[in-house]
């Protein structure tokens, strides 16, 4: 009942941009579409995509549809863990592809792309005069006692957090250790404020997810609204973004480092806003100064790309210049101004082989001759990628399913923060419902579980799909895919009388759950 999770992550954004430049008939040394500098604002589009993106054939934008089809065929044949690919050029969608179990009806956890959205919200607040980028961060928390409040900590500004140069003790190599420590603490903001300072503020890059969560709290302090509420009013609504999921911590602060979920077509609007210099359909959302600073290196990282304000940016002098929002597993908004290009990808850890395949495409900055056969081939592979398995016949439910259906089981010893669970089976349905109460979330999850081998999305819109089966008459197995593609695991539930044994990720809780009275 499992499915292939092969994934490899490699390459740099620089190689990706070069590949895309080749795809579009360009190279890093070629003359761009216009003679303007690469970071200049693109001409205002004829059609603003507030209500939806217009589409165009690849050839009309100088791209070979056959080569695009071949690149996506590589995704299918090589099990590359891409979930979606969206290419927007000149304000029109050239490719909009989705790979099962993800589809266009679901939004996707964009992981650390969330940081770029939080940064954008800070930029909006600064543009509106609601927030001073040079304000010390401690000034927003005057009512809190802060551990080790020294001169360096008092000098950390909002700008330092935005550029990942706060000097706080964030461990980001070889893996982010500080972020899970924050999530295990009862008060995430207190945790961040109490971190030691190890560098002079504004001098040294250190990737710091907790610092981005602190920015979410600072935005809330400055505006009186959570990041989600502020985004809906000042960013999402103007851009026509309506369907998002953004969880909050126990104190009600929207996660600042990750976990925002949105549709790829909406994520592209964020990149397009920057491509248009912060203006959307005649409305100034971001100041031109903010757009320039956010997408210009503010600190050297020692990596292939430098860092602006919540955006990874190409080093000075590299052409074509680009900036990108980047999240674990292949979540990406890539903007190449000189090519009037926005690329959005989601995935579960896809390889840069995808972009190597795209790089084989040839074309011109000028339109190519129409190729209806190539467009049909491209559409055929897009359709094939979206296809899931045929539904399997549903075996008759065992007596255990009828006995436990609708009953709530409560844990007295938590495993992965699970407090209680409830399963509800309907004999006439191919779908069960699954309620899970987690200590780390403000409310219970209500998810759907496909019983016919097909993943079903959450009832509450969370970026989760699940399917399940009876391994034996007393054991029900649920395959959960969060993101989708970022976290995959199984829950094994073995029912015995009025108790259940829960197993997950090699750990088991035995005899610690009882039917609630």
């Amino acid at each position: 009942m499992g499915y292939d999770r092969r994934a490899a992550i490699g390459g740099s954004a620089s190689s990706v941009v070069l590949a895309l430049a080749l795809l579009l008939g360009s190279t890093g040394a070629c003359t761009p579409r216009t003679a303007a500098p690469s970071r200049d604002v693109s001409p205002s589009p004829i059609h603003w995509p507030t209500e939806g993106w217009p589409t165009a054939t690849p050839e009309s934008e100088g791209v070979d549809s056959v080569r695009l089809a071949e690149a996506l065929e590589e995704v299918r044949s090589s099990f590359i863990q891409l979930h979606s690919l969206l290419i927007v050029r000149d304000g029109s969608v050239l490719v909009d592809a989705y790979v099962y179990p993800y589809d266009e009806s679901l939004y996707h956890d964009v992981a650390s792309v969330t940081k770029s959205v939080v940064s954008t919200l800070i930029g909006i607040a600064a543009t509106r005069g609601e927030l001073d980028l040079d304000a010390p961060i401690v000034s927003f928390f005057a009512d809190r006692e802060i551990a080790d409040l020294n001169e360096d900590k008092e000098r950390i500004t909002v700008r330092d957090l935005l550029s990942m140069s706060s000097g706080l003790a964030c461990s980001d190599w070889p893996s982010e250790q500080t972020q899970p420590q924050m999530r295990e603490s009862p008060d995430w903001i207190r945790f961040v404020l109490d971190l030691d300072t190890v560098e002079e503020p504004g001098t040294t890059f250190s990737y710091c997810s907790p610092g981005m969560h602190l920015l979410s709290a600072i935005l809330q302090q400055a505006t009186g609204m959570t990041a989600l509420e502020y985004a809906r009013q000042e960013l999402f609504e103007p851009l026509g973004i309506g369907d998002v999921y953004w969880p909050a911590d126990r104190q009600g602060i929207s996660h600042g480092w990750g976990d925002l979920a949105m549709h790829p077509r909406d994520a592209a609007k964020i990149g397009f806003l920057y491509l248009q210099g912060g203006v959307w359909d005649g409305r100034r959302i971001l100041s031109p100064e903010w757009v320039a600073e956010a997408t210009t290196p503010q600190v050297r990282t020692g990596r292939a790309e430098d860092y602006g304000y919540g955006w990874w940016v190409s080093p000075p002098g590299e052409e074509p210049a680009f900036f990108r929002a980047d999240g674990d597993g292949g979540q990406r908004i890539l903007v190449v101004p000189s090519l009037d290009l926005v690329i959005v990808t989601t995935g579960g850890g896809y390889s840069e082989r995808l972009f190597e395949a795209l790089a084989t495409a040839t074309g011109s900055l000028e339109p190519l001759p129409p190729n209806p056969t190539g467009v049909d081939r491209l559409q055929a592979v897009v359709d094939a990628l979206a296809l899931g398995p045929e539904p399997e016949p549903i075996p008759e439910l065992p007596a255990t399913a009828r006995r436990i259906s609708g009953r709530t089981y409560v844990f007295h010893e938590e495993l992965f923060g699970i407090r209680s669970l409830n399963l509800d089976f309907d004999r006439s349905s191919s779908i069960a419902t699954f309620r899970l109460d987690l200590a780390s979330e403000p409310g219970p999850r209500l998810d759907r579980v496909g019983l016919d081998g097909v993943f079903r999305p959450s009832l509450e819109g969370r970026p989760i799909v699940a399917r399940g089966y009876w391994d034996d008459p007393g054991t029900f197995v649920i395959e959960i895919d969060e993101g989708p593609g970022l976290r995959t695991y199984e829950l094994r539930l073995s029912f015995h009388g009025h108790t259940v044994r829960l197993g997950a990720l090699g750990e088991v809780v035995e005899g610690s759950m009882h039917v609630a009275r």
Side-chain angles (χ1 to χ4, degrees), residues 289-306:
E289 293 79 16
W290 167 268
V291 172
E293 291 181 15
T295 61
T296 299
Q298 298 297 323
V299 62
R300 303 308 301 267
T301 65
R303 307 182 186 187
E305 298 84 43
D306 291 324

PDB file of all heavy atoms in Angstrom, residues 289-306:
ATOM      1  N   GLU A 289      11.194  51.289  -3.154  1.00  0.00           N
ATOM      2  CA  GLU A 289      12.407  51.137  -2.334  1.00  0.00           C
ATOM      3  C   GLU A 289      12.431  49.769  -1.669  1.00  0.00           C
ATOM      4  O   GLU A 289      13.479  49.108  -1.611  1.00  0.00           O
ATOM      5  CB  GLU A 289      12.465  52.247  -1.286  1.00  0.00           C
ATOM      6  CG  GLU A 289      12.667  53.642  -1.831  1.00  0.00           C
ATOM      7  CD  GLU A 289      11.390  54.254  -2.390  1.00  0.00           C
ATOM      8  OE1 GLU A 289      10.276  53.730  -2.081  1.00  0.00           O
ATOM      9  OE2 GLU A 289      11.485  55.254  -3.133  1.00  0.00           O
ATOM     10  N   TRP A 290      11.275  49.347  -1.160  1.00  0.00           N
ATOM     11  CA  TRP A 290      11.222  48.032  -0.524  1.00  0.00           C
ATOM     12  C   TRP A 290      11.532  46.932  -1.536  1.00  0.00           C
ATOM     13  O   TRP A 290      12.332  46.031  -1.265  1.00  0.00           O
ATOM     14  CB  TRP A 290       9.856  47.767   0.101  1.00  0.00           C
ATOM     15  CG  TRP A 290       9.708  46.325   0.472  1.00  0.00           C
ATOM     16  CD1 TRP A 290       9.180  45.320  -0.279  1.00  0.00           C
ATOM     17  CD2 TRP A 290      10.191  45.696   1.666  1.00  0.00           C
ATOM     18  NE1 TRP A 290       9.278  44.113   0.366  1.00  0.00           N
ATOM     19  CE2 TRP A 290       9.893  44.323   1.563  1.00  0.00           C
ATOM     20  CE3 TRP A 290      10.822  46.176   2.811  1.00  0.00           C
ATOM     21  CZ2 TRP A 290      10.219  43.426   2.581  1.00  0.00           C
ATOM     22  CZ3 TRP A 290      11.146  45.268   3.823  1.00  0.00           C
ATOM     23  CH2 TRP A 290      10.847  43.914   3.695  1.00  0.00           C
ATOM     24  N   VAL A 291      10.889  46.971  -2.699  1.00  0.00           N
ATOM     25  CA  VAL A 291      11.102  45.935  -3.709  1.00  0.00           C
ATOM     26  C   VAL A 291      12.581  45.850  -4.074  1.00  0.00           C
ATOM     27  O   VAL A 291      13.156  44.754  -4.162  1.00  0.00           O
ATOM     28  CB  VAL A 291      10.237  46.213  -4.956  1.00  0.00           C
ATOM     29  CG1 VAL A 291      10.592  45.251  -6.088  1.00  0.00           C
ATOM     30  CG2 VAL A 291       8.754  46.098  -4.614  1.00  0.00           C
ATOM     31  N   ALA A 292      13.211  47.007  -4.266  1.00  0.00           N
ATOM     32  CA  ALA A 292      14.630  47.019  -4.640  1.00  0.00           C
ATOM     33  C   ALA A 292      15.497  46.434  -3.533  1.00  0.00           C
ATOM     34  O   ALA A 292      16.391  45.613  -3.787  1.00  0.00           O
ATOM     35  CB  ALA A 292      15.069  48.449  -4.965  1.00  0.00           C
ATOM     36  N   GLU A 293      15.248  46.831  -2.283  1.00  0.00           N
ATOM     37  CA  GLU A 293      16.084  46.368  -1.183  1.00  0.00           C
ATOM     38  C   GLU A 293      15.827  44.890  -0.877  1.00  0.00           C
ATOM     39  O   GLU A 293      16.760  44.134  -0.580  1.00  0.00           O
ATOM     40  CB  GLU A 293      15.829  47.211   0.063  1.00  0.00           C
ATOM     41  CG  GLU A 293      16.333  48.643  -0.067  1.00  0.00           C
ATOM     42  CD  GLU A 293      16.084  49.458   1.188  1.00  0.00           C
ATOM     43  OE1 GLU A 293      15.786  48.859   2.239  1.00  0.00           O
ATOM     44  OE2 GLU A 293      16.184  50.695   1.127  1.00  0.00           O
ATOM     45  N   ALA A 294      14.579  44.472  -0.935  1.00  0.00           N
ATOM     46  CA  ALA A 294      14.253  43.085  -0.609  1.00  0.00           C
ATOM     47  C   ALA A 294      14.874  42.116  -1.589  1.00  0.00           C
ATOM     48  O   ALA A 294      15.208  40.979  -1.224  1.00  0.00           O
ATOM     49  CB  ALA A 294      12.736  42.898  -0.577  1.00  0.00           C
ATOM     50  N   THR A 295      15.059  42.535  -2.839  1.00  0.00           N
ATOM     51  CA  THR A 295      15.573  41.644  -3.880  1.00  0.00           C
ATOM     52  C   THR A 295      17.008  41.978  -4.272  1.00  0.00           C
ATOM     53  O   THR A 295      17.475  41.573  -5.331  1.00  0.00           O
ATOM     54  CB  THR A 295      14.659  41.706  -5.120  1.00  0.00           C
ATOM     55  OG1 THR A 295      14.632  43.045  -5.632  1.00  0.00           O
ATOM     56  CG2 THR A 295      13.241  41.279  -4.763  1.00  0.00           C
ATOM     57  N   THR A 296      17.703  42.697  -3.411  1.00  0.00           N
ATOM     58  CA  THR A 296      19.121  43.018  -3.588  1.00  0.00           C
ATOM     59  C   THR A 296      19.890  42.417  -2.418  1.00  0.00           C
ATOM     60  O   THR A 296      19.392  42.426  -1.289  1.00  0.00           O
ATOM     61  CB  THR A 296      19.328  44.543  -3.609  1.00  0.00           C
ATOM     62  OG1 THR A 296      18.606  45.100  -4.714  1.00  0.00           O
ATOM     63  CG2 THR A 296      20.803  44.898  -3.751  1.00  0.00           C
ATOM     64  N   PRO A 297      21.087  41.876  -2.625  1.00  0.00           N
ATOM     65  CA  PRO A 297      21.823  41.294  -1.501  1.00  0.00           C
ATOM     66  C   PRO A 297      22.013  42.288  -0.359  1.00  0.00           C
ATOM     67  O   PRO A 297      22.554  43.379  -0.547  1.00  0.00           O
ATOM     68  CB  PRO A 297      23.161  40.897  -2.126  1.00  0.00           C
ATOM     69  CG  PRO A 297      22.860  40.677  -3.571  1.00  0.00           C
ATOM     70  CD  PRO A 297      21.802  41.686  -3.909  1.00  0.00           C
ATOM     71  N   GLN A 298      21.555  41.908   0.815  1.00  0.00           N
ATOM     72  CA  GLN A 298      21.746  42.704   2.025  1.00  0.00           C
ATOM     73  C   GLN A 298      22.844  42.118   2.905  1.00  0.00           C
ATOM     74  O   GLN A 298      23.401  42.805   3.755  1.00  0.00           O
ATOM     75  CB  GLN A 298      20.429  42.773   2.828  1.00  0.00           C
ATOM     76  CG  GLN A 298      19.297  43.447   2.101  1.00  0.00           C
ATOM     77  CD  GLN A 298      19.592  44.906   1.812  1.00  0.00           C
ATOM     78  OE1 GLN A 298      20.214  45.605   2.627  1.00  0.00           O
ATOM     79  NE2 GLN A 298      19.144  45.388   0.658  1.00  0.00           N
ATOM     80  N   VAL A 299      23.139  40.848   2.677  1.00  0.00           N
ATOM     81  CA  VAL A 299      24.177  40.182   3.457  1.00  0.00           C
ATOM     82  C   VAL A 299      24.754  39.061   2.602  1.00  0.00           C
ATOM     83  O   VAL A 299      24.021  38.391   1.866  1.00  0.00           O
ATOM     84  CB  VAL A 299      23.605  39.643   4.793  1.00  0.00           C
ATOM     85  CG1 VAL A 299      22.517  38.609   4.547  1.00  0.00           C
ATOM     86  CG2 VAL A 299      24.695  39.062   5.677  1.00  0.00           C
ATOM     87  N   ARG A 300      26.057  38.890   2.647  1.00  0.00           N
ATOM     88  CA  ARG A 300      26.704  37.781   1.930  1.00  0.00           C
ATOM     89  C   ARG A 300      26.542  36.519   2.750  1.00  0.00           C
ATOM     90  O   ARG A 300      26.733  36.521   3.967  1.00  0.00           O
ATOM     91  CB  ARG A 300      28.183  38.080   1.689  1.00  0.00           C
ATOM     92  CG  ARG A 300      28.470  39.369   0.928  1.00  0.00           C
ATOM     93  CD  ARG A 300      27.699  39.473  -0.377  1.00  0.00           C
ATOM     94  NE  ARG A 300      27.983  38.390  -1.304  1.00  0.00           N
ATOM     95  CZ  ARG A 300      28.923  38.456  -2.250  1.00  0.00           C
ATOM     96  NH1 ARG A 300      29.678  39.546  -2.377  1.00  0.00           N
ATOM     97  NH2 ARG A 300      29.113  37.442  -3.083  1.00  0.00           N
ATOM     98  N   THR A 301      26.188  35.446   2.081  1.00  0.00           N
ATOM     99  CA  THR A 301      25.861  34.208   2.787  1.00  0.00           C
ATOM    100  C   THR A 301      26.987  33.186   2.758  1.00  0.00           C
ATOM    101  O   THR A 301      26.969  32.235   3.532  1.00  0.00           O
ATOM    102  CB  THR A 301      24.612  33.568   2.171  1.00  0.00           C
ATOM    103  OG1 THR A 301      24.916  33.166   0.824  1.00  0.00           O
ATOM    104  CG2 THR A 301      23.442  34.535   2.172  1.00  0.00           C
ATOM    105  N   GLY A 302      27.921  33.351   1.826  1.00  0.00           N
ATOM    106  CA  GLY A 302      28.923  32.319   1.634  1.00  0.00           C
ATOM    107  C   GLY A 302      28.384  31.142   0.841  1.00  0.00           C
ATOM    108  O   GLY A 302      29.028  30.099   0.747  1.00  0.00           O
ATOM    109  N   ARG A 303      27.195  31.305   0.257  1.00  0.00           N
ATOM    110  CA  ARG A 303      26.581  30.251  -0.540  1.00  0.00           C
ATOM    111  C   ARG A 303      26.463  30.723  -1.987  1.00  0.00           C
ATOM    112  O   ARG A 303      26.937  31.793  -2.348  1.00  0.00           O
ATOM    113  CB  ARG A 303      25.201  29.901   0.033  1.00  0.00           C
ATOM    114  CG  ARG A 303      25.242  29.564   1.520  1.00  0.00           C
ATOM    115  CD  ARG A 303      23.882  29.187   2.060  1.00  0.00           C
ATOM    116  NE  ARG A 303      23.913  29.008   3.516  1.00  0.00           N
ATOM    117  CZ  ARG A 303      22.898  28.544   4.227  1.00  0.00           C
ATOM    118  NH1 ARG A 303      21.760  28.232   3.641  1.00  0.00           N
ATOM    119  NH2 ARG A 303      23.014  28.396   5.543  1.00  0.00           N
ATOM    120  N   ALA A 304      25.798  29.914  -2.805  1.00  0.00           N
ATOM    121  CA  ALA A 304      25.675  30.264  -4.218  1.00  0.00           C
ATOM    122  C   ALA A 304      24.836  31.510  -4.421  1.00  0.00           C
ATOM    123  O   ALA A 304      25.019  32.237  -5.395  1.00  0.00           O
ATOM    124  CB  ALA A 304      25.061  29.090  -4.994  1.00  0.00           C
ATOM    125  N   GLU A 305      23.881  31.760  -3.499  1.00  0.00           N
ATOM    126  CA  GLU A 305      23.042  32.948  -3.566  1.00  0.00           C
ATOM    127  C   GLU A 305      23.201  33.751  -2.283  1.00  0.00           C
ATOM    128  O   GLU A 305      23.509  33.199  -1.220  1.00  0.00           O
ATOM    129  CB  GLU A 305      21.563  32.589  -3.754  1.00  0.00           C
ATOM    130  CG  GLU A 305      21.248  31.845  -5.033  1.00  0.00           C
ATOM    131  CD  GLU A 305      21.471  30.350  -4.903  1.00  0.00           C
ATOM    132  OE1 GLU A 305      21.086  29.776  -3.875  1.00  0.00           O
ATOM    133  OE2 GLU A 305      22.052  29.764  -5.836  1.00  0.00           O
ATOM    134  N   ASP A 306      22.972  35.043  -2.391  1.00  0.00           N
ATOM    135  CA  ASP A 306      22.982  35.906  -1.218  1.00  0.00           C
ATOM    136  C   ASP A 306      21.551  36.089  -0.713  1.00  0.00           C
ATOM    137  O   ASP A 306      20.622  35.429  -1.195  1.00  0.00           O
ATOM    138  CB  ASP A 306      23.645  37.241  -1.551  1.00  0.00           C
ATOM    139  CG  ASP A 306      25.136  37.096  -1.796  1.00  0.00           C
ATOM    140  OD1 ASP A 306      25.766  36.262  -1.119  1.00  0.00           O
ATOM    141  OD2 ASP A 306      25.669  37.799  -2.670  1.00  0.00           O
TER     142      ASP A 306
END
